[in-house]
Amino acid sequence: MKIRLIPILFLKDGNLVRSENFDLHQILGDPFVQVERYNTWNVDEIIYINISNSINYETKNKTEQHPKKFLEVMKKASEKCFSPIVFGGGIKNLNDAKSYFQNGADKISVNTSFIENTDLISEFANIFGSQSIIVSVDVKIENNIYKLYNSKNEKTYDYDLFDYVKEVEKKGAGEILINSVDRDGTSLGYDINLIKKINNVINIPLIPCGGVGTSEHISELLEKVDLSAVAAGNIFNFTERSYEKIKNFLKKKGYNFR
Amino acid sequence: MNIGIINTNTSNIKSVYNALNYLNFRNYKEIRSLKDTEKEKFTHLILPGNGSFESNIKKIKNECLDNFLNESFENNIFFLGICVGMQILATYGEENGKVDGLDIIPGRVEKIPVKEKKLPHIGWNNITIKKNDKLFKNLSEDELIFYFLHSYYFNVSDGINNLSTVNYDFEFPAVINKKNFYGIQFHPEKSQSQGLKIIKNFLELR
């Protein structure tokens, strides 16, 4: 079984964007060129997250139940990629999920709408199977404590982050995608301490992201934490043939990549 | 050639269409209910994966497609079940308690008995061919790596139905076959060029 190297693409109002500490969105442009490139590079898997302000996005398409544009992005992107694609962002109910799967998603990623209603995870798992449901968890450090963060209302929660991820697993999540608000877009490397702690309390695959600036950041993490997947965003956007190069670097280091 | 794609509402059906379009097999029709099968002479059927065992078998039975699949088996129509689309061919599944399957390929669908590894089994894994078949045509040894996404596996009652295996703390079937019916545990539609080759090989079965 190979370790997966997963690029995460963030989309805002139809554009590929770069984020830093969950803010400062720099527009990178066309969301499809990148997907095509990844497909050529024989990518292991791709995660596409729609971070549009859903209210603005939906008012343009008042008659539609879902953000129409993102569905269009999904359809078009999926036609260009024969590796698994995860789509997330804005999934609130079963109908949203169904329409994501029918329009190009192989798995879905859910987040903010599930924080206060984790029973929804069980509901989804019963219908779509746990394996197709990634629960995305954003973490922010506050007074030296790792806290669960809600990117929609920009608030942290008081309940224990580690209890939350355990609950998410218990309710039927197939994987957990963990992102660090403090490391996002900083190129300072993963928050290894956080990833290790989370990995120790769950028995489902963990996909860490946030902070990768060099290939070494990935190998440093793998050295300390036993993982079956690693994800990164910005590093793939700015370097030519970066995906291939990083894979080769990690394989040379002896890690079991495809 | 006339391809029927069965839509159970929970599957990643678009990915299967993308693969067919890419391979230039455009003569397909979506099957949502028994009505969609009337007056059609299908040569090949595909049941895409995703979703739970229970939700998929319920949908198949509610739409009376179980009889249609049984008849297709008898009438030598080629069938490809992907992931849970393969699993529902079993006698029964144990995903949400014991649920009866179609019992076309005898066996039961059980949780993978992992020791150290985590479930679900997600990612690219190598398969071993046990019995050569037209489905594996033009695949080289280093192409035998595919994307898996599941926690349950098909425990076939008769080893003769097992064409290929995969190992994840435990060895279990990756590809099964009985007569004109095929089941694939991994996702060929999402396994790059080697996966597309398998789909092409399936559609070229005569």
Side-chain angles (χ1 to χ4, degrees), chain A residues 1-4 38-45 74-76 78-85 98 101-107 125-132 173-175 199 202-206 226-228 258, chain B residues 7-15 18-22 30 32 50-52 54-56 83 95-96 117-126 145 147-151 167-168 187-194 196:
Chain A
M1 176 81 160
K2 308 290 182 188
I3 306 172
R4 288 168 287 155
Y38 286 128
N39 187 54
T40 316
W41 291 342
N42 207 353
V43 68
D44 293 330
E45 183 169 334
M74 250 187 261
K75 275 190 197 169
K76 220 174 136 189
S78 74
E79 283 163 9
K80 295 174 190 293
C81 188
F82 295 100
S83 288
I85 312 189
K98 273 183 190 161
F101 281 119
Q102 302 258 306
N103 285 290
D106 300 299
K107 297 195 268 185
N126 284 339
I127 291 175
F128 303 107
S130 286
Q131 75 285 343
S132 328
E175 288 171 284
N199 201 44
I202 58 168
N203 295 302
I204 51 176
L206 175 66
D226 184 22
L227 294 163
S228 60
R258 195 162 62 99
Chain B
N7 189 350
T8 54
N9 271 338
T10 58
S11 62
N12 59 338
I13 197 154
K14 172 83 170 128
S15 291
N18 289 340
L20 295 183
N21 291 337
Y22 182 84
E30 189 163 301
R32 285 179 170 271
N50 240 21
S52 67
E54 193 184 18
S55 64
N56 272 271
C83 197
E95 189 172 336
N96 303 330
K117 297 203 186 301
K118 290 180 168 187
L119 286 181
H121 173 214
I122 302 180
W124 296 79
N125 210 341
N126 291 95
I145 180 162
Y147 190 85
F148 287 82
L149 179 63
H150 65 124
S151 297
N167 198 309
Y168 188 67
H187 286 269
E189 79 285 8
K190 285 280 131 180
S191 294
Q192 288 284 345
S193 57
Q194 60 269 44
L196 295 174

Side-chain angles (χ1 to χ4, degrees), chain A residues 26 43 45 97 106 112 125 133 158 171 220 224 231 238 252:
Chain A
Q26 176 193 352
V43 68
E45 183 169 334
D106 300 299
T112 47
I133 319 291
D158 276 333
K171 299 277 174 158
E220 276 163 20
K224 297 195 175 85
F238 296 108
K252 265 191 198 142

Side-chain angles (χ1 to χ4, degrees), chain A:
Chain A
M1 176 81 160
K2 308 290 182 188
I3 306 172
R4 288 168 287 155
L5 178 63
I6 308 173
I8 300 192
L9 307 177
F10 292 102
L11 247 104
K12 197 174 164 69
D13 302 328
N15 281 311
L16 207 59
V17 295
R18 172 184 179 272
S19 79
E20 201 175 308
N21 303 120
F22 279 43
D23 205 2
L24 287 168
H25 300 299
Q26 176 193 352
I27 293 174
L28 302 172
D30 191 299
F32 307 113
V33 177
Q34 199 67 320
V35 152
E36 238 175 328
R37 206 175 291 156
Y38 286 128
N39 187 54
T40 316
W41 291 342
N42 207 353
V43 68
D44 293 330
E45 183 169 334
I46 296 181
I47 300 177
Y48 245 107
I49 306 281
N50 180 26
I51 54 169
S52 310
N53 179 337
S54 61
I55 299 158
N56 285 338
Y57 214 43
E58 280 179 2
T59 44
K60 289 179 197 157
N61 305 289
K62 264 193 172 149
T63 52
E64 295 289 328
Q65 202 176 356
H66 319 290
K68 191 178 165 195
K69 266 194 185 165
F70 188 55
L71 283 189
E72 294 305 315
V73 170
M74 250 187 261
K75 275 190 197 169
K76 220 174 136 189
S78 74
E79 283 163 9
K80 295 174 190 293
C81 188
F82 295 100
S83 288
I85 312 189
V86 182
F87 285 104
I91 298 173
K92 292 186 187 73
N93 52 47
L94 286 172
N95 279 338
D96 292 339
K98 273 183 190 161
S99 106
Y100 272 44
F101 281 119
Q102 302 258 306
N103 285 290
D106 300 299
K107 297 195 268 185
I108 54 169
S109 167
V110 299
N111 191 340
T112 47
S113 302
F114 290 63
I115 294 177
E116 280 157 48
N117 182 11
T118 50
D119 285 340
L120 262 180
I121 301 170
S122 311
E123 211 179 298
F124 274 41
N126 284 339
I127 291 175
F128 303 107
S130 286
Q131 75 285 343
S132 328
I133 319 291
I134 297 180
V135 176
S136 176
V137 177
D138 299 324
V139 180
K140 193 171 193 265
I141 300 175
E142 233 176 47
N143 305 321
N144 282 322
I145 298 168
Y146 290 122
K147 293 231 166 154
L148 173 63
Y149 177 75
N150 184 329
S151 61
K152 283 280 173 290
N153 58 24
E154 299 178 13
K155 285 199 170 78
T156 52
Y157 290 86
D158 276 333
Y159 48 80
D160 187 73
L161 170 72
F162 301 96
D163 286 343
Y164 177 71
V165 293
K166 280 190 256 179
E167 185 184 326
V168 161
E169 173 179 352
K170 211 173 112 203
K171 299 277 174 158
E175 288 171 284
I176 289 176
L177 169 67
I178 195 112
N179 199 355
S180 156
V181 178
D182 308 284
R183 298 294 175 110
D184 176 54
T186 60
S187 294
L188 291 170
Y190 288 111
D191 185 337
I192 296 179
N193 183 35
L194 167 70
I195 294 160
K196 196 169 191 172
K197 278 188 164 163
I198 299 272
N199 201 44
N200 281 344
V201 299
I202 58 168
N203 295 302
I204 51 176
L206 175 66
I207 307 172
C209 88
V212 176
T214 65
S215 303
E216 282 82 359
H217 287 152
I218 301 175
S219 60
E220 276 163 20
L221 173 69
L222 291 173
E223 211 173 286
K224 297 195 175 85
V225 192
D226 184 22
L227 294 163
S228 60
V230 283
N234 296 334
I235 189 171
F236 298 119
N237 290 323
F238 296 108
T239 328
E240 194 64 21
R241 294 176 62 203
S242 51
Y243 189 81
E244 228 178 333
K245 284 180 187 162
I246 296 169
K247 262 254 177 105
N248 287 336
F249 171 85
L250 293 165
K251 279 199 267 189
K252 265 191 198 142
K253 282 250 168 192
Y255 292 106
N256 189 19
F257 282 88
R258 195 162 62 99

Side-chain angles (χ1 to χ4, degrees), chain B residues 117-177:
Chain B
K117 297 203 186 301
K118 290 180 168 187
L119 286 181
H121 173 214
I122 302 180
W124 296 79
N125 210 341
N126 291 95
I127 66 163
T128 308
I129 293 177
K130 296 285 173 189
K131 211 162 111 189
N132 220 343
D133 193 275
K134 283 178 184 162
L135 210 65
F136 305 125
K137 200 178 71 184
N138 296 329
L139 281 167
S140 67
E141 194 59 38
D142 53 347
E143 282 180 308
L144 298 178
I145 180 162
F146 300 94
Y147 190 85
F148 287 82
L149 179 63
H150 65 124
S151 297
Y152 290 80
Y153 79 102
F154 198 127
N155 186 354
V156 281
S157 302
D158 190 346
I160 202 157
N161 297 135
N162 192 0
L163 297 184
S164 157
T165 61
V166 61
N167 198 309
Y168 188 67
D169 259 4
F170 173 77
E171 198 178 6
F172 56 86
V175 182
I176 59 173
N177 161 253

